[in-house]
Amino acid sequence: FPFSLRLACPFRPTHLPSLSVLPETRRSSPMADQAYEHQSHRFAIGAQFDSFMDLKRACIRAALLDVYEFDTVKVPPPSRRQVDGKQVDSDRYRIRCKNGECAWFLYAMSLDETDVWEVRTTTQAHVCHGINHDGHCNIDEDFVAHEILPKVRMDNAFTPKSIQNHFKDQYGVKISYSKAYRAKERALNIINGSHEEAYGTLPKYCNEILRSNPGSTVKLEIDAGTNQFKRLFVCFATSAMGFAYCRPLL
């Protein structure tokens, strides 16, 4: 016959730790596996990157996959330059784990008279517990824009909300709607170019029309005071010749 059995425990267990003293748990990334990205050959001493932004994006991606954050160490530089709208050391890049007790760090330098950056020194081991919140301080608009670039190329209607869902599903992190929106605008600029760049190519476009369509008429008018576009008139020679055979109408 069905029956239930209840055992009474005559003592209260005292060897179990309370929830208040359990150690912090490391947040896991959906894309993370047993091999840590920051310990890969990409960050070994002597590894090279084609540009500073390639190096920076690789460091951010590793931090996302391996669930840690890092700080940029400011070193008095001999000179500084502007990269992606920010002042950075012209030839040095040093980052360390955001946890002050962790020894992980990476130091890279640019090769003389080139855009190539090389890893010079690194400690490829974390002794911290990583991060246990759902944000990430190292994610910027540039990284988000390049991460979603293939999706935006395939679908211009890829919404900021979809971008938020992508980062939540792929990396387990939350990004703000405004950051997702600005990142999509940046991605569209990378794909299509900015309006300023597009208007700047108009003179070359007009010359190309005249070269490939002899007899055509092209008039580009630019404000002499502000150097801004005003109007453009294009009449292809073949179209104009076709009107000569049209029947006149009142």
mmCIF file of all heavy atoms in Angstrom, residues 40-50 55 106-109 111 116-124:
data_model
loop_
_atom_site.group_PDB
_atom_site.id
_atom_site.type_symbol
_atom_site.label_atom_id
_atom_site.label_comp_id
_atom_site.label_asym_id
_atom_site.label_seq_id
_atom_site.Cartn_x
_atom_site.Cartn_y
_atom_site.Cartn_z
ATOM 1 N N SER A 40 44.620 32.411 -24.590
ATOM 2 C CA SER A 40 44.881 31.878 -25.922
ATOM 3 C C SER A 40 46.159 32.477 -26.496
ATOM 4 O O SER A 40 46.723 33.442 -25.967
ATOM 5 C CB SER A 40 43.695 32.163 -26.849
ATOM 6 O OG SER A 40 43.620 33.557 -27.129
ATOM 7 N N HIS A 41 46.599 31.911 -27.630
ATOM 8 C CA HIS A 41 47.830 32.379 -28.270
ATOM 9 C C HIS A 41 47.698 33.805 -28.793
ATOM 10 O O HIS A 41 48.701 34.469 -29.061
ATOM 11 C CB HIS A 41 48.187 31.437 -29.426
ATOM 12 C CG HIS A 41 47.186 31.481 -30.556
ATOM 13 N ND1 HIS A 41 46.006 30.757 -30.523
ATOM 14 C CD2 HIS A 41 47.186 32.164 -31.727
ATOM 15 C CE1 HIS A 41 45.322 30.985 -31.638
ATOM 16 N NE2 HIS A 41 45.997 31.830 -32.381
ATOM 17 N N ARG A 42 46.467 34.284 -28.933
ATOM 18 C CA ARG A 42 46.267 35.652 -29.435
ATOM 19 C C ARG A 42 46.880 36.687 -28.505
ATOM 20 O O ARG A 42 47.238 37.780 -28.936
ATOM 21 C CB ARG A 42 44.769 35.956 -29.597
ATOM 22 C CG ARG A 42 44.060 35.125 -30.633
ATOM 23 C CD ARG A 42 42.705 35.711 -30.922
ATOM 24 N NE ARG A 42 42.815 37.038 -31.510
ATOM 25 C CZ ARG A 42 41.790 37.881 -31.637
ATOM 26 N NH1 ARG A 42 40.603 37.538 -31.182
ATOM 27 N NH2 ARG A 42 41.957 39.066 -32.181
ATOM 28 N N PHE A 43 46.986 36.356 -27.205
ATOM 29 C CA PHE A 43 47.514 37.302 -26.225
ATOM 30 C C PHE A 43 48.870 36.864 -25.668
ATOM 31 O O PHE A 43 49.313 37.370 -24.640
ATOM 32 C CB PHE A 43 46.508 37.486 -25.083
ATOM 33 C CG PHE A 43 45.178 38.008 -25.542
ATOM 34 C CD1 PHE A 43 44.093 37.153 -25.707
ATOM 35 C CD2 PHE A 43 45.007 39.344 -25.834
ATOM 36 C CE1 PHE A 43 42.867 37.628 -26.139
ATOM 37 C CE2 PHE A 43 43.787 39.832 -26.268
ATOM 38 C CZ PHE A 43 42.717 38.972 -26.422
ATOM 39 N N ALA A 44 49.534 35.940 -26.356
ATOM 40 C CA ALA A 44 50.864 35.517 -25.924
ATOM 41 C C ALA A 44 51.878 36.610 -26.233
ATOM 42 O O ALA A 44 51.646 37.494 -27.074
ATOM 43 C CB ALA A 44 51.249 34.215 -26.624
ATOM 44 N N ILE A 45 53.004 36.573 -25.547
ATOM 45 C CA ILE A 45 54.060 37.559 -25.788
ATOM 46 C C ILE A 45 54.524 37.435 -27.236
ATOM 47 O O ILE A 45 54.833 36.343 -27.716
ATOM 48 C CB ILE A 45 55.230 37.342 -24.817
ATOM 49 C CG1 ILE A 45 54.773 37.606 -23.382
ATOM 50 C CG2 ILE A 45 56.407 38.247 -25.172
ATOM 51 C CD1 ILE A 45 55.839 37.348 -22.335
ATOM 52 N N GLY A 46 54.549 38.560 -27.929
ATOM 53 C CA GLY A 46 54.923 38.575 -29.336
ATOM 54 C C GLY A 46 53.745 38.577 -30.284
ATOM 55 O O GLY A 46 53.927 38.786 -31.490
ATOM 56 N N ALA A 47 52.534 38.352 -29.772
ATOM 57 C CA ALA A 47 51.342 38.381 -30.632
ATOM 58 C C ALA A 47 51.126 39.791 -31.155
ATOM 59 O O ALA A 47 51.358 40.771 -30.454
ATOM 60 C CB ALA A 47 50.124 37.906 -29.856
ATOM 61 N N GLN A 48 50.674 39.891 -32.406
ATOM 62 C CA GLN A 48 50.529 41.192 -33.044
ATOM 63 C C GLN A 48 49.098 41.423 -33.513
ATOM 64 O O GLN A 48 48.372 40.472 -33.834
ATOM 65 C CB GLN A 48 51.489 41.312 -34.236
ATOM 66 C CG GLN A 48 52.954 41.303 -33.843
ATOM 67 C CD GLN A 48 53.878 41.518 -35.025
ATOM 68 O OE1 GLN A 48 53.464 41.478 -36.184
ATOM 69 N NE2 GLN A 48 55.160 41.749 -34.742
ATOM 70 N N PHE A 49 48.728 42.698 -33.544
ATOM 71 C CA PHE A 49 47.407 43.131 -34.007
ATOM 72 C C PHE A 49 47.611 44.228 -35.050
ATOM 73 O O PHE A 49 48.523 45.043 -34.940
ATOM 74 C CB PHE A 49 46.572 43.651 -32.835
ATOM 75 C CG PHE A 49 46.258 42.608 -31.796
ATOM 76 C CD1 PHE A 49 47.173 42.318 -30.794
ATOM 77 C CD2 PHE A 49 45.069 41.909 -31.839
ATOM 78 C CE1 PHE A 49 46.895 41.359 -29.844
ATOM 79 C CE2 PHE A 49 44.781 40.945 -30.891
ATOM 80 C CZ PHE A 49 45.703 40.664 -29.896
ATOM 81 N N ASP A 50 46.734 44.245 -36.040
ATOM 82 C CA ASP A 50 46.907 45.165 -37.163
ATOM 83 C C ASP A 50 46.729 46.625 -36.781
ATOM 84 O O ASP A 50 47.225 47.515 -37.462
ATOM 85 C CB ASP A 50 45.925 44.816 -38.291
ATOM 86 C CG ASP A 50 46.262 43.479 -38.932
ATOM 87 O OD1 ASP A 50 47.432 43.073 -38.859
ATOM 88 O OD2 ASP A 50 45.345 42.850 -39.503
ATOM 89 N N LEU A 55 43.350 45.494 -31.291
ATOM 90 C CA LEU A 55 43.843 45.038 -29.985
ATOM 91 C C LEU A 55 42.810 45.295 -28.899
ATOM 92 O O LEU A 55 42.510 44.410 -28.081
ATOM 93 C CB LEU A 55 45.148 45.755 -29.654
ATOM 94 C CG LEU A 55 45.672 45.618 -28.219
ATOM 95 C CD1 LEU A 55 45.982 44.163 -27.893
ATOM 96 C CD2 LEU A 55 46.896 46.500 -28.017
ATOM 97 N N LEU A 106 48.157 43.089 -19.008
ATOM 98 C CA LEU A 106 48.675 42.982 -20.361
ATOM 99 C C LEU A 106 49.289 44.312 -20.760
ATOM 100 O O LEU A 106 48.729 45.379 -20.475
ATOM 101 C CB LEU A 106 47.567 42.587 -21.341
ATOM 102 C CG LEU A 106 47.972 42.408 -22.816
ATOM 103 C CD1 LEU A 106 47.232 41.213 -23.428
ATOM 104 C CD2 LEU A 106 47.670 43.676 -23.619
ATOM 105 N N TYR A 107 50.433 44.244 -21.407
ATOM 106 C CA TYR A 107 51.141 45.447 -21.845
ATOM 107 C C TYR A 107 51.527 45.263 -23.303
ATOM 108 O O TYR A 107 52.156 44.275 -23.678
ATOM 109 C CB TYR A 107 52.379 45.675 -20.980
ATOM 110 C CG TYR A 107 53.248 46.837 -21.422
ATOM 111 C CD1 TYR A 107 52.772 48.135 -21.356
ATOM 112 C CD2 TYR A 107 54.541 46.627 -21.892
ATOM 113 C CE1 TYR A 107 53.559 49.196 -21.739
ATOM 114 C CE2 TYR A 107 55.336 47.682 -22.285
ATOM 115 C CZ TYR A 107 54.837 48.968 -22.205
ATOM 116 O OH TYR A 107 55.619 50.020 -22.601
ATOM 117 N N ALA A 108 51.130 46.223 -24.149
ATOM 118 C CA ALA A 108 51.418 46.165 -25.580
ATOM 119 C C ALA A 108 51.991 47.490 -26.051
ATOM 120 O O ALA A 108 51.733 48.546 -25.454
ATOM 121 C CB ALA A 108 50.158 45.817 -26.370
ATOM 122 N N MET A 109 52.760 47.433 -27.128
ATOM 123 C CA MET A 109 53.366 48.629 -27.711
ATOM 124 C C MET A 109 53.182 48.596 -29.223
ATOM 125 O O MET A 109 53.055 47.530 -29.829
ATOM 126 C CB MET A 109 54.864 48.706 -27.382
ATOM 127 C CG MET A 109 55.186 48.935 -25.925
ATOM 128 S SD MET A 109 56.968 49.157 -25.646
ATOM 129 C CE MET A 109 57.244 50.693 -26.571
ATOM 130 N N LEU A 111 54.607 49.108 -32.984
ATOM 131 C CA LEU A 111 55.900 49.005 -33.655
ATOM 132 C C LEU A 111 56.225 50.319 -34.350
ATOM 133 O O LEU A 111 55.331 51.035 -34.808
ATOM 134 C CB LEU A 111 55.888 47.849 -34.655
ATOM 135 C CG LEU A 111 55.570 46.465 -34.068
ATOM 136 C CD1 LEU A 111 55.673 45.396 -35.137
ATOM 137 C CD2 LEU A 111 56.485 46.145 -32.894
ATOM 138 N N VAL A 116 50.864 48.546 -36.441
ATOM 139 C CA VAL A 116 50.840 47.235 -35.798
ATOM 140 C C VAL A 116 51.191 47.381 -34.318
ATOM 141 O O VAL A 116 52.112 48.099 -33.946
ATOM 142 C CB VAL A 116 51.833 46.275 -36.482
ATOM 143 C CG1 VAL A 116 51.857 44.923 -35.766
ATOM 144 C CG2 VAL A 116 51.466 46.099 -37.951
ATOM 145 N N TRP A 117 50.424 46.662 -33.469
ATOM 146 C CA TRP A 117 50.677 46.628 -32.024
ATOM 147 C C TRP A 117 51.087 45.221 -31.626
ATOM 148 O O TRP A 117 50.554 44.236 -32.144
ATOM 149 C CB TRP A 117 49.430 47.054 -31.254
ATOM 150 C CG TRP A 117 49.201 48.536 -31.317
ATOM 151 C CD1 TRP A 117 48.843 49.262 -32.417
ATOM 152 C CD2 TRP A 117 49.320 49.463 -30.244
ATOM 153 N NE1 TRP A 117 48.727 50.598 -32.090
ATOM 154 C CE2 TRP A 117 49.013 50.737 -30.763
ATOM 155 C CE3 TRP A 117 49.638 49.340 -28.899
ATOM 156 C CZ2 TRP A 117 49.022 51.886 -29.982
ATOM 157 C CZ3 TRP A 117 49.648 50.479 -28.111
ATOM 158 C CH2 TRP A 117 49.347 51.740 -28.651
ATOM 159 N N GLU A 118 52.030 45.126 -30.681
ATOM 160 C CA GLU A 118 52.574 43.840 -30.258
ATOM 161 C C GLU A 118 52.502 43.701 -28.746
ATOM 162 O O GLU A 118 52.812 44.637 -28.014
ATOM 163 C CB GLU A 118 54.023 43.708 -30.729
ATOM 164 C CG GLU A 118 54.661 42.371 -30.378
ATOM 165 C CD GLU A 118 56.084 42.278 -30.899
ATOM 166 O OE1 GLU A 118 57.015 42.700 -30.166
ATOM 167 O OE2 GLU A 118 56.253 41.807 -32.045
ATOM 168 N N VAL A 119 52.091 42.514 -28.288
ATOM 169 C CA VAL A 119 52.054 42.218 -26.857
ATOM 170 C C VAL A 119 53.485 42.000 -26.368
ATOM 171 O O VAL A 119 54.197 41.145 -26.880
ATOM 172 C CB VAL A 119 51.195 40.978 -26.567
ATOM 173 C CG1 VAL A 119 51.217 40.645 -25.080
ATOM 174 C CG2 VAL A 119 49.760 41.200 -27.040
ATOM 175 N N ARG A 120 53.901 42.786 -25.367
ATOM 176 C CA ARG A 120 55.267 42.703 -24.857
ATOM 177 C C ARG A 120 55.341 41.933 -23.539
ATOM 178 O O ARG A 120 56.266 41.166 -23.308
ATOM 179 C CB ARG A 120 55.843 44.110 -24.679
ATOM 180 C CG ARG A 120 56.035 44.868 -25.981
ATOM 181 C CD ARG A 120 57.034 44.167 -26.888
ATOM 182 N NE ARG A 120 57.248 44.857 -28.133
ATOM 183 C CZ ARG A 120 58.144 45.827 -28.297
ATOM 184 N NH1 ARG A 120 58.886 46.231 -27.269
ATOM 185 N NH2 ARG A 120 58.284 46.402 -29.467
ATOM 186 N N THR A 121 54.384 42.167 -22.649
ATOM 187 C CA THR A 121 54.385 41.504 -21.344
ATOM 188 C C THR A 121 52.947 41.185 -20.961
ATOM 189 O O THR A 121 52.037 41.960 -21.221
ATOM 190 C CB THR A 121 55.013 42.403 -20.262
ATOM 191 O OG1 THR A 121 56.260 42.898 -20.717
ATOM 192 C CG2 THR A 121 55.229 41.620 -18.966
ATOM 193 N N THR A 122 52.751 40.024 -20.338
ATOM 194 C CA THR A 122 51.405 39.668 -19.897
ATOM 195 C C THR A 122 51.474 38.598 -18.814
ATOM 196 O O THR A 122 52.380 37.768 -18.804
ATOM 197 C CB THR A 122 50.548 39.148 -21.074
ATOM 198 O OG1 THR A 122 49.248 38.798 -20.607
ATOM 199 C CG2 THR A 122 51.179 37.926 -21.714
ATOM 200 N N THR A 123 50.539 38.666 -17.896
ATOM 201 C CA THR A 123 50.317 37.603 -16.917
ATOM 202 C C THR A 123 48.964 36.991 -17.236
ATOM 203 O O THR A 123 47.920 37.601 -16.992
ATOM 204 C CB THR A 123 50.323 38.147 -15.477
ATOM 205 O OG1 THR A 123 51.597 38.737 -15.201
ATOM 206 C CG2 THR A 123 50.055 37.035 -14.477
ATOM 207 N N GLN A 124 48.955 35.800 -17.802
ATOM 208 C CA GLN A 124 47.732 35.213 -18.352
ATOM 209 C C GLN A 124 47.030 34.304 -17.347
ATOM 210 O O GLN A 124 46.674 33.175 -17.651
ATOM 211 C CB GLN A 124 48.049 34.451 -19.631
ATOM 212 C CG GLN A 124 48.489 35.345 -20.780
ATOM 213 C CD GLN A 124 48.685 34.543 -22.050
ATOM 214 O OE1 GLN A 124 49.504 33.652 -22.111
ATOM 215 N NE2 GLN A 124 47.914 34.868 -23.070
#
